[in-house]
Structure formats: structure tokens, C-alpha cells
Amino acid sequence: EVQLVESGGGLVKPGGSLRLSCAASGFTFSSYSMNWVRQAPGKGLEWVSSISSSSSYIYYADSVKGRFTISRDNAKNSLYLQMNSLRAEDTAVYYCARDRSTVVTTIDYWGQGTLVTVSS
Amino acid sequence: QSALTQPASVSGSPGQSITISCTGTSSDVGGYNYVSWYQQHPGKAPKLMIYDVSNRPSGVSNRFSGSKSGNTASLTISGLQAEDEADYYCSSYTSSSTPYVFGTGTKVTVL
């Protein structure tokens, strides 16, 4: 069974930093691209970032480019999102999500999410 | 990259069929067969219902079906049930510098 468990969310002041982690199990992590998708309170889904299976290809939404860094450790079956210079508009539930293949095409499994609140 | 356009809400009575549209451009929906649909109940993570325009993952009811014509994709739910009441989002691969774009979301209400 595919499992994705996010951690690292919490309350942070504007301008602060946070690192999200996603522990994957139930599949061969190194064979799949991975993604972060967020959802602000009461709003829709917003794609944040993607990373291919070997980390060769990395993509960011314009809204986070230059502030967020996605990475992965295939030996530890883990995905990360380093978030710097956080803003109030970054407040959201952040979901770790698996792609269906080694390259980015379709998200098929989602974690339960971790809440990030940016507020003074 | 602008969000794909979905109706804000769609409703139907139990047993009826409803269709949710998802309109994009030739750079996303119209250009690729990587259109997906997700169901999200309140407080829960999204769940994949349709991928590659019309394919259902194992375990998803055959009451859910997908199609595409030009720059518009559609999700049809037949035999509407109370448990289908949820938010639905479409998504597409895009040719822009960012690989994914989501739809604006549609709230399905079972009357």
C-alpha cells in the first residue's frame, strides 16, 4: 500500500523558514517523480513543485520560485521542501504527492497533508 | 500559467447523471492526453478518479467516466449517490515551464 506521510508543518513568522518532509513507503520511491501541492484554507489546489525520480528535472511554480527548494533522498525514501522567506499567502495545507512514472505527468497518490501557517 | 476553468458548482438528485467541464488551452488540455480528475471530501486528501483523460484507477467506481473534446475535458458521474458529494478538481500536464495546472474546482451537491 502506497503511503505518504508529511511532517514539519507549523506556525512561523513572516520571513521565516520551514522544512517539510515526506516519508514514502509501499513502493519503489526511486522510480517515481514526486510533487508538492498546497491548498490555502477554503481554496483550491495549487501545484508548488515537482522533482523527477533521479532529481534531474526540477520545477517550481512562479509563486515560490527563488524561495522554495525541493529535494529528495532516494536512499531514505524521503521528499523535502525547504521554504524560506515565507509570506502570509504561503499559509496552506501542503500535500506530498506521487507521480505515476519517473517523469512528471500525473499525480496518483497523495499524503494527508501538513498545515503551514505564516503569521506574526 | 492560469488555472483551468471549471464551474463553481454542479448539483443533481440521487440516480441522476451530472457532467463537470474543465476548459483549458491547446498548451494543456487540448495538447496532451494527461488530464486527470480528483475527488476531495472536506478535510481529506484528494483522490485520483480519472487519469489520461478517460482511465479509471483500480477501485474507482465505473459510475465515473472522463472524456475530452478540443480544449475541454469532462467528468461524468452517473447514478449519483450521496457519497459523491465532494469537491472535484481537474488537472493537466502543460507545455509551459511548469508541468502541472489544476482546475478551479467544482463543488458537487447531491440534492
Side-chain angles (χ1 to χ4, degrees):
Chain A
E1 178 194 5
V2 173
Q3 285 200 326
L4 300 168
V5 179
E6 303 93 338
S7 61
L11 175 63
V12 62
K13 289 181 169 54
S17 298
L18 215 53
R19 188 194 196 207
L20 305 184
S21 299
C22 171
S25 61
F27 64 101
T28 304
F29 182 72
S30 59
S31 295
Y32 293 86
S33 289
M34 297 295 296
N35 308 270
W36 289 101
V37 178
R38 68 184 180 184
Q39 187 170 34
K43 302 297 184 182
L45 300 173
E46 180 189 13
W47 171 80
V48 173
S49 184
S50 300
I51 185 168
S52 62
S53 58
S54 61
S55 303
S56 298
Y57 299 96
I58 290 176
Y59 309 90
Y60 298 101
D62 289 344
S63 57
V64 307
K65 196 173 294 182
R67 300 188 298 123
F68 290 13
T69 302
I70 190 172
S71 62
R72 64 189 295 162
D73 185 336
N74 288 343
K76 295 184 177 180
N77 292 340
S78 294
L79 176 72
Y80 307 101
L81 186 67
Q82 177 66 43
M83 304 186 295
N84 299 330
S85 303
L86 283 162
R87 307 166 180 167
E89 54 264 36
D90 295 318
T91 294
V93 173
Y94 284 73
Y95 292 102
C96 167
R98 192 190 83 163
D99 229 276
R100 290 188 65 239
S101 72
T102 57
V103 294
V104 176
T105 58
T106 303
I107 290 173
D108 60 356
Y109 286 96
W110 303 66
Q112 286 305 303
T114 187
L115 177 62
V116 172
T117 302
V118 184
S119 174
S120 55
Chain B
Q1 180 69 44
S2 299
L4 306 175
T5 302
Q6 298 180 232
S9 63
V10 173
S11 62
S13 300
Q16 286 186 329
S17 292
I18 61 169
T19 297
I20 303 168
S21 62
C22 170
T23 301
T25 69
S26 58
S27 296
D28 38 65
V29 174
Y32 302 92
N33 286 326
Y34 293 127
V35 176
S36 307
W37 289 91
Y38 303 92
Q39 177 192 64
Q40 186 180 34
H41 287 108
K44 301 295 187 181
K47 174 186 175 184
L48 179 66
M49 305 302 284
I50 296 288
Y51 68 95
D52 295 354
V53 176
S54 59
N55 293 304
R56 273 188 314 275
S58 174
V60 171
S61 171
N62 59 9
R63 299 186 297 105
F64 292 84
S65 62
S67 63
K68 189 183 83 167
S69 178
N71 295 338
T72 299
S74 299
L75 173 71
T76 298
I77 308 175
S78 59
L80 200 61
Q81 299 180 1
E83 68 214 47
D84 299 332
E85 189 162 288
D87 293 325
Y88 291 82
Y89 295 91
C90 62
S91 175
S92 175
Y93 178 81
T94 86
S95 60
S96 72
S97 59
T98 56
Y100 278 125
V101 60
F102 283 99
T104 50
T106 298
K107 181 175 181 57
V108 168
T109 301
V110 181
L111 301 171

CSV table of all heavy atoms in Angstrom, one decimal, chain B residues 33-90:
chain,number,residue,atom,x,y,z
B,33,ASN,N,-2.9,14.2,-23.6
B,33,ASN,CA,-3.9,13.3,-23.0
B,33,ASN,C,-3.6,13.0,-21.5
B,33,ASN,O,-3.9,11.9,-21.0
B,33,ASN,CB,-4.0,12.0,-23.8
B,33,ASN,CG,-4.7,12.2,-25.1
B,33,ASN,OD1,-5.6,13.0,-25.2
B,33,ASN,ND2,-4.3,11.5,-26.2
B,34,TYR,N,-2.9,14.0,-20.9
B,34,TYR,CA,-2.6,13.8,-19.4
B,34,TYR,C,-3.6,14.7,-18.6
B,34,TYR,O,-3.2,15.5,-17.9
B,34,TYR,CB,-1.2,14.2,-19.2
B,34,TYR,CG,-0.2,13.3,-19.8
B,34,TYR,CD1,0.9,13.8,-20.6
B,34,TYR,CD2,-0.2,11.9,-19.5
B,34,TYR,CE1,1.8,12.9,-21.1
B,34,TYR,CE2,0.7,11.0,-20.1
B,34,TYR,CZ,1.8,11.6,-20.9
B,34,TYR,OH,2.7,10.7,-21.4
B,35,VAL,N,-4.9,14.4,-18.8
B,35,VAL,CA,-5.9,15.1,-18.0
B,35,VAL,C,-6.3,14.1,-16.9
B,35,VAL,O,-6.6,13.0,-17.1
B,35,VAL,CB,-7.1,15.5,-18.8
B,35,VAL,CG1,-8.2,16.1,-18.0
B,35,VAL,CG2,-6.7,16.5,-19.9
B,36,SER,N,-6.4,14.6,-15.7
B,36,SER,CA,-6.8,13.8,-14.5
B,36,SER,C,-7.9,14.5,-13.8
B,36,SER,O,-8.1,15.8,-13.9
B,36,SER,CB,-5.6,13.7,-13.5
B,36,SER,OG,-4.5,13.2,-14.2
B,37,TRP,N,-8.6,13.7,-13.0
B,37,TRP,CA,-9.7,14.3,-12.1
B,37,TRP,C,-9.5,13.7,-10.7
B,37,TRP,O,-9.2,12.6,-10.5
B,37,TRP,CB,-11.1,13.8,-12.7
B,37,TRP,CG,-11.5,14.5,-14.0
B,37,TRP,CD1,-11.2,14.1,-15.2
B,37,TRP,CD2,-12.2,15.8,-14.1
B,37,TRP,NE1,-11.7,15.0,-16.1
B,37,TRP,CE2,-12.3,16.0,-15.5
B,37,TRP,CE3,-12.7,16.7,-13.2
B,37,TRP,CZ2,-13.0,17.2,-15.9
B,37,TRP,CZ3,-13.4,17.8,-13.6
B,37,TRP,CH2,-13.5,18.0,-15.0
B,38,TYR,N,-9.7,14.6,-9.8
B,38,TYR,CA,-9.6,14.3,-8.3
B,38,TYR,C,-10.8,14.6,-7.6
B,38,TYR,O,-11.5,15.6,-7.8
B,38,TYR,CB,-8.4,15.0,-7.7
B,38,TYR,CG,-7.1,14.8,-8.5
B,38,TYR,CD1,-6.7,15.6,-9.5
B,38,TYR,CD2,-6.3,13.7,-8.1
B,38,TYR,CE1,-5.5,15.4,-10.2
B,38,TYR,CE2,-5.1,13.4,-8.8
B,38,TYR,CZ,-4.7,14.3,-9.8
B,38,TYR,OH,-3.6,14.0,-10.5
B,39,GLN,N,-11.2,13.7,-6.6
B,39,GLN,CA,-12.3,14.0,-5.7
B,39,GLN,C,-11.7,14.3,-4.3
B,39,GLN,O,-10.8,13.7,-3.9
B,39,GLN,CB,-13.1,12.7,-5.6
B,39,GLN,CG,-14.3,12.7,-4.6
B,39,GLN,CD,-14.8,11.3,-4.4
B,39,GLN,OE1,-14.1,10.4,-3.8
B,39,GLN,NE2,-16.1,11.1,-4.8
B,40,GLN,N,-12.3,15.3,-3.7
B,40,GLN,CA,-11.8,15.7,-2.4
B,40,GLN,C,-13.0,15.9,-1.4
B,40,GLN,O,-13.8,16.9,-1.6
B,40,GLN,CB,-10.9,16.9,-2.4
B,40,GLN,CG,-10.3,17.3,-1.1
B,40,GLN,CD,-9.4,18.5,-1.1
B,40,GLN,OE1,-9.7,19.5,-1.9
B,40,GLN,NE2,-8.4,18.5,-0.3
B,41,HIS,N,-13.1,15.1,-0.4
B,41,HIS,CA,-14.1,15.3,0.6
B,41,HIS,C,-13.5,16.3,1.7
B,41,HIS,O,-12.3,16.4,1.8
B,41,HIS,CB,-14.5,14.0,1.3
B,41,HIS,CG,-15.3,13.1,0.4
B,41,HIS,ND1,-14.9,12.0,-0.2
B,41,HIS,CD2,-16.6,13.3,0.0
B,41,HIS,CE1,-15.8,11.4,-0.9
B,41,HIS,NE2,-16.9,12.2,-0.8
B,42,PRO,N,-14.4,17.0,2.4
B,42,PRO,CA,-13.9,18.0,3.4
B,42,PRO,C,-12.9,17.4,4.3
B,42,PRO,O,-13.1,16.4,4.9
B,42,PRO,CB,-15.2,18.4,4.1
B,42,PRO,CG,-16.3,18.2,3.0
B,42,PRO,CD,-15.8,17.0,2.3
B,43,GLY,N,-11.8,18.1,4.5
B,43,GLY,CA,-10.8,17.7,5.4
B,43,GLY,C,-9.9,16.5,5.0
B,43,GLY,O,-9.1,16.1,5.8
B,44,LYS,N,-10.1,16.1,3.8
B,44,LYS,CA,-9.4,14.9,3.3
B,44,LYS,C,-8.5,15.2,2.2
B,44,LYS,O,-8.6,16.3,1.6
B,44,LYS,CB,-10.4,13.8,2.9
B,44,LYS,CG,-11.4,13.3,4.0
B,44,LYS,CD,-10.6,12.6,5.1
B,44,LYS,CE,-11.6,12.0,6.1
B,44,LYS,NZ,-10.9,11.3,7.2
B,45,ALA,N,-7.6,14.3,1.9
B,45,ALA,CA,-6.7,14.5,0.8
B,45,ALA,C,-7.4,14.2,-0.5
B,45,ALA,O,-8.4,13.4,-0.5
B,45,ALA,CB,-5.5,13.6,0.9
B,46,PRO,N,-7.0,14.8,-1.6
B,46,PRO,CA,-7.6,14.4,-2.9
B,46,PRO,C,-7.4,13.0,-3.3
B,46,PRO,O,-6.4,12.3,-2.8
B,46,PRO,CB,-6.9,15.3,-3.9
B,46,PRO,CG,-6.4,16.5,-3.1
B,46,PRO,CD,-6.0,15.9,-1.8
B,47,LYS,N,-8.3,12.4,-4.1
B,47,LYS,CA,-8.2,11.1,-4.6
B,47,LYS,C,-8.3,11.0,-6.1
B,47,LYS,O,-9.2,11.7,-6.6
B,47,LYS,CB,-9.3,10.2,-3.9
B,47,LYS,CG,-9.4,8.8,-4.5
B,47,LYS,CD,-10.6,8.1,-3.9
B,47,LYS,CE,-10.8,6.7,-4.5
B,47,LYS,NZ,-12.0,6.0,-4.1
B,48,LEU,N,-7.4,10.3,-6.7
B,48,LEU,CA,-7.5,10.2,-8.2
B,48,LEU,C,-8.7,9.4,-8.6
B,48,LEU,O,-8.8,8.3,-8.2
B,48,LEU,CB,-6.2,9.6,-8.7
B,48,LEU,CG,-6.0,9.4,-10.2
B,48,LEU,CD1,-6.0,10.7,-10.9
B,48,LEU,CD2,-4.8,8.5,-10.5
B,49,MET,N,-9.5,10.0,-9.5
B,49,MET,CA,-10.7,9.3,-10.0
B,49,MET,C,-10.5,8.9,-11.5
B,49,MET,O,-11.0,7.9,-11.9
B,49,MET,CB,-11.9,10.2,-9.8
B,49,MET,CG,-12.1,10.7,-8.4
B,49,MET,SD,-12.3,9.4,-7.2
B,49,MET,CE,-14.0,8.8,-7.6
B,50,ILE,N,-9.9,9.8,-12.3
B,50,ILE,CA,-9.7,9.5,-13.7
B,50,ILE,C,-8.3,10.0,-14.1
B,50,ILE,O,-7.8,11.1,-13.6
B,50,ILE,CB,-10.7,10.3,-14.5
B,50,ILE,CG1,-12.1,9.8,-14.3
B,50,ILE,CG2,-10.3,10.2,-16.0
B,50,ILE,CD1,-12.4,8.4,-14.9
B,51,TYR,N,-7.6,9.2,-14.9
B,51,TYR,CA,-6.3,9.7,-15.4
B,51,TYR,C,-6.2,9.5,-16.9
B,51,TYR,O,-6.9,8.7,-17.5
B,51,TYR,CB,-5.1,9.0,-14.7
B,51,TYR,CG,-5.0,7.5,-14.9
B,51,TYR,CD1,-4.1,7.1,-15.9
B,51,TYR,CD2,-5.7,6.6,-14.2
B,51,TYR,CE1,-4.0,5.7,-16.2
B,51,TYR,CE2,-5.6,5.3,-14.4
B,51,TYR,CZ,-4.7,4.8,-15.4
B,51,TYR,OH,-4.6,3.5,-15.6
B,52,ASP,N,-5.3,10.2,-17.6
B,52,ASP,CA,-5.1,10.0,-19.0
B,52,ASP,C,-6.5,10.2,-19.7
B,52,ASP,O,-6.8,9.4,-20.6
B,52,ASP,CB,-4.5,8.7,-19.4
B,52,ASP,CG,-3.0,8.6,-18.9
B,52,ASP,OD1,-2.5,9.6,-18.3
B,52,ASP,OD2,-2.4,7.5,-19.0
B,53,VAL,N,-7.2,11.2,-19.3
B,53,VAL,CA,-8.5,11.6,-19.9
B,53,VAL,C,-9.6,10.7,-19.5
B,53,VAL,O,-10.7,11.2,-19.1
B,53,VAL,CB,-8.4,11.7,-21.5
B,53,VAL,CG1,-9.8,12.0,-22.0
B,53,VAL,CG2,-7.4,12.7,-21.9
B,54,SER,N,-9.5,9.4,-19.7
B,54,SER,CA,-10.6,8.5,-19.5
B,54,SER,C,-10.4,7.2,-18.8
B,54,SER,O,-11.2,6.3,-18.8
B,54,SER,CB,-11.2,8.2,-20.9
B,54,SER,OG,-10.2,7.5,-21.7
B,55,ASN,N,-9.2,7.1,-18.2
B,55,ASN,CA,-8.9,5.8,-17.5
B,55,ASN,C,-9.2,5.9,-16.0
B,55,ASN,O,-8.9,6.9,-15.3
B,55,ASN,CB,-7.4,5.5,-17.7
B,55,ASN,CG,-7.1,5.1,-19.1
B,55,ASN,OD1,-7.7,4.2,-19.7
B,55,ASN,ND2,-6.1,5.9,-19.7
B,56,ARG,N,-9.8,4.8,-15.5
B,56,ARG,CA,-10.1,4.7,-14.0
B,56,ARG,C,-9.1,3.9,-13.3
B,56,ARG,O,-8.8,2.8,-13.7
B,56,ARG,CB,-11.5,4.1,-13.8
B,56,ARG,CG,-12.7,5.0,-13.9
B,56,ARG,CD,-13.9,4.3,-13.4
B,56,ARG,NE,-14.0,2.9,-14.1
B,56,ARG,CZ,-14.6,2.8,-15.3
B,56,ARG,NH1,-15.0,3.8,-16.0
B,56,ARG,NH2,-14.7,1.6,-15.8
B,57,PRO,N,-8.6,4.4,-12.2
B,57,PRO,CA,-7.7,3.6,-11.4
B,57,PRO,C,-8.5,2.4,-10.8
B,57,PRO,O,-9.7,2.5,-10.7
B,57,PRO,CB,-7.2,4.5,-10.3
B,57,PRO,CG,-7.5,5.9,-10.8
B,57,PRO,CD,-8.7,5.8,-11.7
B,58,SER,N,-7.7,1.4,-10.4
B,58,SER,CA,-8.4,0.2,-9.8
B,58,SER,C,-9.1,0.7,-8.5
B,58,SER,O,-8.6,1.5,-7.7
B,58,SER,CB,-7.3,-0.8,-9.4
B,58,SER,OG,-7.8,-1.9,-8.7
B,59,GLY,N,-10.3,0.2,-8.4
B,59,GLY,CA,-11.1,0.5,-7.2
B,59,GLY,C,-12.0,1.7,-7.3
B,59,GLY,O,-12.9,1.9,-6.5
B,60,VAL,N,-11.9,2.4,-8.4
B,60,VAL,CA,-12.8,3.6,-8.6
B,60,VAL,C,-14.1,3.1,-9.4
B,60,VAL,O,-14.0,2.4,-10.3
B,60,VAL,CB,-12.1,4.7,-9.4
B,60,VAL,CG1,-13.1,5.8,-9.8
B,60,VAL,CG2,-11.0,5.3,-8.6
B,61,SER,N,-15.2,3.5,-8.9
B,61,SER,CA,-16.5,3.0,-9.5
B,61,SER,C,-16.6,3.4,-10.9
B,61,SER,O,-16.1,4.5,-11.4
B,61,SER,CB,-17.6,3.7,-8.7
B,61,SER,OG,-18.8,3.5,-9.4
B,62,ASN,N,-17.2,2.5,-11.7
B,62,ASN,CA,-17.4,2.7,-13.1
B,62,ASN,C,-18.5,3.7,-13.4
B,62,ASN,O,-18.9,4.0,-14.5
B,62,ASN,CB,-17.7,1.4,-13.9
B,62,ASN,CG,-18.9,0.7,-13.4
B,62,ASN,OD1,-19.7,1.2,-12.6
B,62,ASN,ND2,-19.1,-0.5,-13.9
B,63,ARG,N,-19.1,4.3,-12.3
B,63,ARG,CA,-20.0,5.4,-12.5
B,63,ARG,C,-19.3,6.7,-12.8
B,63,ARG,O,-19.9,7.7,-13.3
B,63,ARG,CB,-20.8,5.6,-11.2
B,63,ARG,CG,-21.6,4.4,-10.7
B,63,ARG,CD,-22.5,4.8,-9.5
B,63,ARG,NE,-21.7,5.1,-8.3
B,63,ARG,CZ,-21.5,6.3,-7.9
B,63,ARG,NH1,-22.1,7.4,-8.5
B,63,ARG,NH2,-20.8,6.6,-6.8
B,64,PHE,N,-18.0,6.7,-12.7
B,64,PHE,CA,-17.2,7.9,-13.1
B,64,PHE,C,-16.5,7.6,-14.4
B,64,PHE,O,-15.9,6.6,-14.7
B,64,PHE,CB,-16.1,8.1,-12.0
B,64,PHE,CG,-16.6,8.5,-10.7
B,64,PHE,CD1,-17.0,7.6,-9.8
B,64,PHE,CD2,-16.7,9.9,-10.4
B,64,PHE,CE1,-17.5,8.0,-8.5
B,64,PHE,CE2,-17.1,10.3,-9.1
B,64,PHE,CZ,-17.6,9.4,-8.2
B,65,SER,N,-16.7,8.6,-15.3
B,65,SER,CA,-16.1,8.5,-16.6
B,65,SER,C,-15.6,9.8,-17.1
B,65,SER,O,-16.1,10.9,-16.7
B,65,SER,CB,-17.1,7.9,-17.7
B,65,SER,OG,-18.2,8.8,-17.8
B,66,GLY,N,-14.5,9.8,-18.0
B,66,GLY,CA,-13.9,11.0,-18.4
B,66,GLY,C,-13.9,11.0,-20.0
B,66,GLY,O,-13.8,10.0,-20.6
B,67,SER,N,-13.8,12.3,-20.5
B,67,SER,CA,-13.7,12.4,-21.9
B,67,SER,C,-13.0,13.8,-22.2
B,67,SER,O,-12.8,14.6,-21.3
B,67,SER,CB,-15.1,12.3,-22.6
B,67,SER,OG,-15.9,13.4,-22.2
B,68,LYS,N,-12.7,14.0,-23.5
B,68,LYS,CA,-12.1,15.3,-23.9
B,68,LYS,C,-12.5,15.6,-25.3
B,68,LYS,O,-12.6,14.7,-26.2
B,68,LYS,CB,-10.6,15.2,-23.8
B,68,LYS,CG,-9.9,16.5,-24.0
B,68,LYS,CD,-8.4,16.3,-23.9
B,68,LYS,CE,-7.8,15.9,-25.2
B,68,LYS,NZ,-6.3,16.0,-25.3
B,69,SER,N,-12.8,16.9,-25.5
B,69,SER,CA,-13.0,17.4,-26.9
B,69,SER,C,-12.4,18.7,-27.0
B,69,SER,O,-12.7,19.7,-26.3
B,69,SER,CB,-14.5,17.5,-27.2
B,69,SER,OG,-14.8,18.0,-28.5
B,70,GLY,N,-11.4,18.8,-27.9
B,70,GLY,CA,-10.6,20.0,-28.1
B,70,GLY,C,-10.0,20.4,-26.8
B,70,GLY,O,-9.2,19.7,-26.2
B,71,ASN,N,-10.2,21.7,-26.3
B,71,ASN,CA,-9.6,22.2,-25.1
B,71,ASN,C,-10.4,22.0,-23.9
B,71,ASN,O,-10.1,22.5,-22.8
B,71,ASN,CB,-9.3,23.7,-25.3
B,71,ASN,CG,-8.3,24.0,-26.4
B,71,ASN,OD1,-7.5,23.1,-26.8
B,71,ASN,ND2,-8.3,25.2,-26.9
B,72,THR,N,-11.4,21.2,-24.0
B,72,THR,CA,-12.3,21.0,-22.8
B,72,THR,C,-12.4,19.5,-22.5
B,72,THR,O,-12.7,18.6,-23.3
B,72,THR,CB,-13.7,21.5,-23.1
B,72,THR,OG1,-13.7,22.9,-23.3
B,72,THR,CG2,-14.7,21.2,-21.9
B,73,ALA,N,-12.1,19.2,-21.2
B,73,ALA,CA,-12.3,17.8,-20.7
B,73,ALA,C,-13.6,17.8,-19.8
B,73,ALA,O,-14.0,18.8,-19.3
B,73,ALA,CB,-11.1,17.4,-19.9
B,74,SER,N,-14.1,16.6,-19.7
B,74,SER,CA,-15.3,16.5,-18.9
B,74,SER,C,-15.3,15.2,-18.0
B,74,SER,O,-14.7,14.2,-18.4
B,74,SER,CB,-16.5,16.3,-19.8
B,74,SER,OG,-16.7,17.5,-20.6
B,75,LEU,N,-15.9,15.4,-16.8
B,75,LEU,CA,-16.1,14.2,-15.9
B,75,LEU,C,-17.6,14.0,-15.8
B,75,LEU,O,-18.3,15.0,-15.4
B,75,LEU,CB,-15.5,14.5,-14.5
B,75,LEU,CG,-15.7,13.5,-13.4
B,75,LEU,CD1,-14.9,12.2,-13.7
B,75,LEU,CD2,-15.4,14.1,-12.1
B,76,THR,N,-18.0,12.8,-16.0
B,76,THR,CA,-19.4,12.5,-15.8
B,76,THR,C,-19.6,11.5,-14.7
B,76,THR,O,-18.8,10.5,-14.6
B,76,THR,CB,-20.0,11.9,-17.1
B,76,THR,OG1,-19.9,12.8,-18.2
B,76,THR,CG2,-21.5,11.5,-16.9
B,77,ILE,N,-20.5,11.8,-13.8
B,77,ILE,CA,-20.8,10.9,-12.7
B,77,ILE,C,-22.3,10.4,-13.0
B,77,ILE,O,-23.2,11.2,-13.0
B,77,ILE,CB,-20.8,11.6,-11.3
B,77,ILE,CG1,-19.4,12.3,-11.1
B,77,ILE,CG2,-21.0,10.6,-10.2
B,77,ILE,CD1,-19.3,13.1,-9.8
B,78,SER,N,-22.4,9.1,-13.2
B,78,SER,CA,-23.7,8.6,-13.4
B,78,SER,C,-24.3,7.9,-12.2
B,78,SER,O,-23.5,7.5,-11.3
B,78,SER,CB,-23.7,7.6,-14.6
B,78,SER,OG,-22.8,6.6,-14.3
B,79,GLY,N,-25.6,7.8,-12.1
B,79,GLY,CA,-26.2,7.2,-10.9
B,79,GLY,C,-25.7,7.9,-9.6
B,79,GLY,O,-25.3,7.2,-8.7
B,80,LEU,N,-25.8,9.2,-9.6
B,80,LEU,CA,-25.3,10.0,-8.5
B,80,LEU,C,-25.7,9.4,-7.1
B,80,LEU,O,-26.9,9.1,-6.9
B,80,LEU,CB,-25.8,11.4,-8.7
B,80,LEU,CG,-25.1,12.6,-8.0
B,80,LEU,CD1,-23.7,12.6,-8.4
B,80,LEU,CD2,-25.8,13.9,-8.2
B,81,GLN,N,-24.8,9.4,-6.2
B,81,GLN,CA,-25.0,8.9,-4.9
B,81,GLN,C,-24.6,10.0,-3.8
B,81,GLN,O,-23.8,10.8,-4.1
B,81,GLN,CB,-24.2,7.6,-4.6
B,81,GLN,CG,-24.6,6.5,-5.5
B,81,GLN,CD,-23.8,5.2,-5.3
B,81,GLN,OE1,-23.0,5.1,-4.4
B,81,GLN,NE2,-24.1,4.2,-6.1
B,82,ALA,N,-25.1,9.8,-2.6
B,82,ALA,CA,-24.9,10.8,-1.6
B,82,ALA,C,-23.4,10.9,-1.3
B,82,ALA,O,-22.8,12.0,-1.1
B,82,ALA,CB,-25.6,10.4,-0.3
B,83,GLU,N,-22.7,9.8,-1.4
B,83,GLU,CA,-21.2,9.8,-1.1
B,83,GLU,C,-20.4,10.5,-2.2
B,83,GLU,O,-19.2,10.8,-2.0
B,83,GLU,CB,-20.7,8.4,-1.0
B,83,GLU,CG,-20.7,7.6,-2.3
B,83,GLU,CD,-21.1,6.1,-2.1
B,83,GLU,OE1,-22.0,5.8,-1.4
B,83,GLU,OE2,-20.4,5.3,-2.7
B,84,ASP,N,-21.0,10.9,-3.3
B,84,ASP,CA,-20.3,11.6,-4.4
B,84,ASP,C,-20.3,13.1,-4.1
B,84,ASP,O,-19.6,13.8,-4.8
B,84,ASP,CB,-21.0,11.4,-5.7
B,84,ASP,CG,-21.1,9.9,-6.2
B,84,ASP,OD1,-20.2,9.2,-5.8
B,84,ASP,OD2,-22.1,9.6,-6.9
B,85,GLU,N,-21.0,13.5,-3.1
B,85,GLU,CA,-20.9,14.9,-2.7
B,85,GLU,C,-19.5,15.3,-2.2
B,85,GLU,O,-19.1,14.8,-1.2
B,85,GLU,CB,-22.0,15.3,-1.7
B,85,GLU,CG,-22.1,16.7,-1.4
B,85,GLU,CD,-23.4,17.1,-0.7
B,85,GLU,OE1,-24.5,17.0,-1.3
B,85,GLU,OE2,-23.4,17.4,0.5
B,86,ALA,N,-18.9,16.2,-3.0
B,86,ALA,CA,-17.4,16.5,-2.7
B,86,ALA,C,-17.0,17.6,-3.7
B,86,ALA,O,-17.8,18.0,-4.5
B,86,ALA,CB,-16.6,15.3,-2.9
B,87,ASP,N,-15.8,18.0,-3.5
B,87,ASP,CA,-15.1,18.9,-4.5
B,87,ASP,C,-14.4,18.1,-5.5
B,87,ASP,O,-13.8,17.1,-5.2
B,87,ASP,CB,-14.2,19.9,-3.8
B,87,ASP,CG,-14.9,20.9,-2.9
B,87,ASP,OD1,-16.0,21.3,-3.2
B,87,ASP,OD2,-14.3,21.2,-1.8
B,88,TYR,N,-14.4,18.5,-6.7
B,88,TYR,CA,-13.8,17.8,-7.8
B,88,TYR,C,-12.8,18.8,-8.6
B,88,TYR,O,-13.2,19.9,-8.9
B,88,TYR,CB,-14.8,17.2,-8.8
B,88,TYR,CG,-15.5,16.1,-8.2
B,88,TYR,CD1,-16.6,16.3,-7.4
B,88,TYR,CD2,-15.1,14.8,-8.4
B,88,TYR,CE1,-17.3,15.3,-6.8
B,88,TYR,CE2,-15.8,13.7,-7.8
B,88,TYR,CZ,-16.9,14.0,-7.0
B,88,TYR,OH,-17.6,12.9,-6.5
B,89,TYR,N,-11.6,18.3,-8.8
B,89,TYR,CA,-10.6,19.2,-9.5
B,89,TYR,C,-10.1,18.4,-10.7
B,89,TYR,O,-9.8,17.2,-10.6
B,89,TYR,CB,-9.4,19.5,-8.6
B,89,TYR,CG,-9.8,20.3,-7.4
B,89,TYR,CD1,-10.2,19.8,-6.2
B,89,TYR,CD2,-9.7,21.7,-7.5
B,89,TYR,CE1,-10.5,20.5,-5.1
B,89,TYR,CE2,-10.0,22.5,-6.4
B,89,TYR,CZ,-10.4,21.9,-5.2
B,89,TYR,OH,-10.7,22.7,-4.1
B,90,CYS,N,-10.0,19.1,-11.8
B,90,CYS,CA,-9.3,18.6,-13.0
B,90,CYS,C,-7.8,19.0,-12.9
B,90,CYS,O,-7.5,20.0,-12.2
B,90,CYS,CB,-9.9,19.0,-14.3
B,90,CYS,SG,-9.9,20.8,-14.6
